[in-house]
Amino acid sequence: MHCYFNGAIMPVEQASVNINDLGLLRGYGLFDYFRTYNGVPFQWDGYWARFVRSAEVLHLRVPLTQAQTAEILTELHRLSGQPDVAFRFVLTGGYSPDSVSVVEPNWLIIAENLPKDNPEGRVRGIKVLPFEFVRDLPELKSTNYLHMIRLAAEMKSQGAADLLYYKDGEVSELTRSNFFIFKGDTLVTADKNILHGITRKVVLELAEKEFKVEVRPMLVSELEEADEAFTTSTTKWVMPVVQIGRQIVGDGKPGPRTLKLLAQFEALVNGYGK
Amino acid sequence: MHCYFNGAIMPVEQASVNINDLGLLRGYGLFDYFRTYNGVPFQWDGYWARFVRSAEVLHLRVPLTQAQTAEILTELHRLSGQPDVAFRFVLTGGYSPDSVSVVEPNWLIIAENLPKDNPEGRVRGIKVLPFEFVRDLPELKSTNYLHMIRLAAEMKSQGAADLLYYKDGEVSELTRSNFFIFKGDTLVTADKNILHGITRKVVLELAEKEFKVEVRPMLVSELEEADEAFTTSTTKWVMPVVQIGRQIVGDGKPGPRTLKLLAQFEALVNGYGK
């Protein structure tokens, strides 16, 4: 696989950053991740718009236009020799003379093999662990994924696939995906303290055709009343959540409404770009 | 200047990390910073102990013992050809096969020129801007310094040198230094939601000989009653704070008790290791 780094395309193994990069020294960086279906980057306009907004929050100049970036994606895809690929963006504060000042951002675009999509999780559902936390600048897809990595062993020991963040009585999101519950035919998802996921947006559009949709603060106390729950992300699609800590959701199996949304999303991506 | 990286000593310009480092991709990294006086690393035992504790929180194995590390510091210092140097530690989650799993940490030890010590700030005092925030895992000296860099231009435009974090009515710390106020002869500093600074510890030991010291939650409402304020860090020593947002502290000049502690600290470091 190849990557793009500050103007050049090179094999991933040959790419490296100097040690005065502010992403490395100070965690000053943005992240994004998306993939192609049928060779076409899925919802590329949405990912790009979010990336540009995030860069503005960090006062980082995006070095290329969307059209220039699209050309690079095409070339990285071609070099992969694969029908479909994933792309990882990392935009950092760049090399700093004093480990504080931003001079010029560093921009990495990495082509990767498609993620393992955990088909078993989609069939059986996953368990998540409640964790009291709210991300700093939650609308920003920063490179800060401290808890996800720090608590990986704890999750594994409890048979859990992820953390469910809550704070001050409200549920927000998982470490890198959005969270939904069904109460009867009403679908609820948080409106704030979340990353505005592209898959979340697509799933909400699908759901609005059949269900009552409420985008509003989700209370921790509502979790007990949930008939179904699921999470959405670029890699997870619509992934049923069947256990939250010790609490079983519904009957402990992926719910029918969740599976319906999953089937609709799967049909959408399978036909994407065709 | 030279650095140590995973077993080898090399010129700083030649050191780089591969792009699958978890510090770069996921902000999964620790930071520390200390310096020598009269050629001897100041309070080295204290910095080392904190570094090891932080590494445990992130479940990262510190690759060397304290003695082995001390040998590297000596060599980096020798190569610098300078009487005194600063050292920067960066310990990351290392190279990851899947951008999530930790296999083996990457450890960078960078020798640097001594920081500019802002002697004017110590004479005139600095202004800080209140900012509602509390660090995630505040006892951890992680690489996450997002706000410090993101708001640098805002600080500059307001003539401020730093941010003063507060949350839920309590004051904690600056972006990378501890915070104290004097009310008469009583010195107050926060006990929690802070990094346990080495300079903070040394200054508290000096202060206990002459003042009443209260290490406890500091309320935002107490700032108005402060006669003096200051901040402490490895690079700032004892730096008077004379303005907090729009509020002038005391008479707007460095206070006599603050200056006394500064003089004592200066005498201590000037004689360190002699």
Side-chain angles (χ1 to χ4, degrees):
Chain A
M1 286 290 178
H2 287 68
C3 67
Y4 168 91
F5 184 44
N6 289 352
I9 286 178
M10 64 194 85
V12 166
E13 304 76 37
Q14 290 175 21
S16 63
V17 300
N18 296 342
I19 60 174
N20 61 333
D21 177 85
L22 288 174
L24 184 71
L25 294 180
R26 300 297 194 173
Y28 204 71
L30 291 175
F31 172 71
D32 223 314
Y33 183 88
F34 55 100
R35 57 162 288 184
T36 67
Y37 291 98
N38 305 306
V40 182
F42 182 64
Q43 294 280 336
W44 160 238
D45 286 347
Y47 285 99
W48 178 261
R50 181 172 71 188
F51 180 65
V52 169
R53 278 199 311 273
S54 290
E56 283 170 4
V57 174
L58 291 196
H59 311 304
L60 296 178
R61 193 179 65 83
V62 178
L64 301 176
T65 64
Q66 184 177 1
Q68 290 170 324
T69 309
E71 280 180 32
I72 291 165
L73 299 183
T74 301
E75 178 63 8
L76 292 175
H77 187 184
R78 191 188 66 77
L79 287 166
S80 78
Q82 306 210 9
D84 280 304
V85 286
F87 295 108
R88 187 181 297 273
F89 280 5
V90 180
L91 181 72
T92 79
Y95 299 136
S96 180
D98 57 2
S99 78
V100 176
S101 308
V102 174
V103 178
E104 195 64 43
N106 279 330
W107 194 14
L108 260 171
I109 305 174
I110 312 171
E112 299 186 355
N113 290 311
L114 291 183
K116 296 175 199 155
D117 64 354
N118 192 4
E120 197 188 340
R122 282 204 276 273
V123 172
R124 296 192 184 183
I126 61 169
K127 174 183 173 182
V128 298
L129 300 182
F131 185 72
E132 187 171 4
F133 181 64
V134 65
R135 285 196 301 123
D136 181 32
L137 301 175
E139 299 195 6
L140 194 76
K141 200 167 170 73
S142 79
T143 53
N144 184 357
Y145 288 80
L146 200 72
H147 295 295
M148 171 183 92
I149 295 179
R150 191 173 70 88
L151 298 173
E154 175 67 21
M155 287 188 252
K156 195 174 176 186
S157 78
Q158 296 205 33
D162 214 332
L163 304 174
L164 176 61
Y165 292 148
Y166 69 95
K167 184 94 180 177
D168 298 330
E170 290 182 16
V171 176
S172 55
E173 59 189 357
L174 274 63
T175 62
R176 54 204 146 145
S177 59
N178 293 114
F179 183 71
F180 300 72
I181 58 173
F182 268 115
K183 296 200 283 186
D185 281 334
T186 301
L187 181 66
V188 182
T189 195
D191 59 340
K192 58 185 170 61
N193 290 330
I194 60 164
L195 184 83
H196 287 276
I198 307 299
T199 308
R200 172 183 179 272
K201 179 173 156 280
V202 171
V203 168
L204 282 175
E205 286 165 3
L206 293 172
E208 277 164 1
K209 294 173 188 162
E210 302 195 42
F211 304 106
K212 187 175 174 223
V213 172
E214 297 181 358
V215 180
R216 57 161 174 84
M218 183 193 295
L219 302 179
V220 171
S221 57
E222 290 182 277
L223 294 177
E224 285 182 26
E225 307 157 15
D227 298 309
E228 304 181 23
F230 64 87
T231 183
T232 60
S233 81
T234 299
T235 60
K236 295 185 176 73
W237 298 3
V238 174
M239 178 84 76
V241 173
V242 296
Q243 187 171 349
I244 302 169
R246 292 181 187 164
Q247 181 212 330
I248 304 292
V249 178
D251 62 0
K253 291 179 188 160
R257 299 171 192 86
T258 299
L259 292 176
K260 191 165 190 182
L261 286 176
L262 169 57
Q264 289 179 349
F265 185 83
E266 199 164 352
L268 190 151
V269 297
N270 284 341
Y272 194 77
K274 279 187 176 170
Chain B
M1 286 288 177
H2 287 68
C3 67
Y4 168 92
F5 184 44
N6 290 352
I9 286 177
M10 63 194 84
V12 165
E13 304 76 37
Q14 290 174 21
S16 62
V17 300
N18 295 343
I19 59 175
N20 61 333
D21 177 83
L22 287 174
L24 184 72
L25 294 181
R26 300 297 194 173
Y28 204 70
L30 290 176
F31 173 69
D32 223 315
Y33 183 87
F34 55 100
R35 56 161 288 182
T36 67
Y37 291 98
N38 304 307
V40 182
F42 182 64
Q43 294 280 335
W44 159 239
D45 286 348
Y47 285 98
W48 178 261
R50 180 173 73 187
F51 181 65
V52 169
R53 280 199 309 275
S54 288
E56 283 170 4
V57 174
L58 291 197
H59 312 304
L60 296 179
R61 192 180 66 84
V62 178
L64 300 176
T65 65
Q66 184 177 2
Q68 291 169 323
T69 309
E71 280 181 32
I72 290 165
L73 299 182
T74 301
E75 179 63 8
L76 292 176
H77 187 183
R78 191 187 65 76
L79 288 166
S80 77
Q82 306 210 9
D84 280 305
V85 286
F87 295 109
R88 187 182 296 274
F89 280 5
V90 180
L91 181 73
T92 78
Y95 300 135
S96 179
D98 57 3
S99 77
V100 176
S101 308
V102 174
V103 179
E104 194 65 42
N106 279 331
W107 194 15
L108 260 170
I109 304 175
I110 311 172
E112 300 187 355
N113 290 310
L114 290 183
K116 295 176 199 154
D117 64 355
N118 192 5
E120 198 189 340
R122 282 203 277 273
V123 173
R124 297 192 184 182
I126 60 169
K127 174 184 174 181
V128 298
L129 300 181
F131 185 74
E132 187 171 5
F133 180 64
V134 64
R135 285 196 303 122
D136 182 31
L137 302 175
E139 298 195 5
L140 194 77
K141 200 166 170 74
S142 79
T143 54
N144 184 358
Y145 288 81
L146 200 72
H147 294 296
M148 173 185 90
I149 295 179
R150 190 173 70 88
L151 297 174
E154 176 68 20
M155 286 188 252
K156 195 174 177 188
S157 78
Q158 296 204 35
D162 214 332
L163 304 173
L164 175 62
Y165 293 149
Y166 68 95
K167 183 94 179 178
D168 298 330
E170 290 181 16
V171 176
S172 55
E173 60 188 357
L174 275 63
T175 61
R176 53 204 147 145
S177 59
N178 293 115
F179 182 72
F180 299 71
I181 57 173
F182 268 114
K183 295 200 284 185
D185 280 335
T186 300
L187 183 66
V188 182
T189 196
D191 58 340
K192 59 185 168 60
N193 289 331
I194 60 164
L195 184 83
H196 287 276
I198 307 301
T199 308
R200 171 183 180 272
K201 178 172 156 281
V202 171
V203 168
L204 282 174
E205 287 165 4
L206 293 172
E208 277 164 1
K209 294 173 190 163
E210 304 195 41
F211 304 106
K212 187 174 176 223
V213 172
E214 297 181 357
V215 179
R216 58 163 174 80
M218 183 192 297
L219 303 180
V220 171
S221 57
E222 289 182 278
L223 294 177
E224 285 182 27
E225 308 157 15
D227 298 309
E228 303 181 24
F230 64 87
T231 182
T232 60
S233 81
T234 299
T235 61
K236 294 185 177 75
W237 296 4
V238 175
M239 178 85 75
V241 173
V242 295
Q243 187 171 348
I244 302 169
R246 291 181 188 164
Q247 183 211 330
I248 304 293
V249 179
D251 62 0
K253 291 178 188 160
R257 301 171 189 86
T258 300
L259 292 176
K260 191 166 191 182
L261 287 175
L262 169 57
Q264 289 179 349
F265 185 83
E266 198 164 352
L268 191 151
V269 296
N270 284 341
Y272 195 76
K274 279 187 177 169

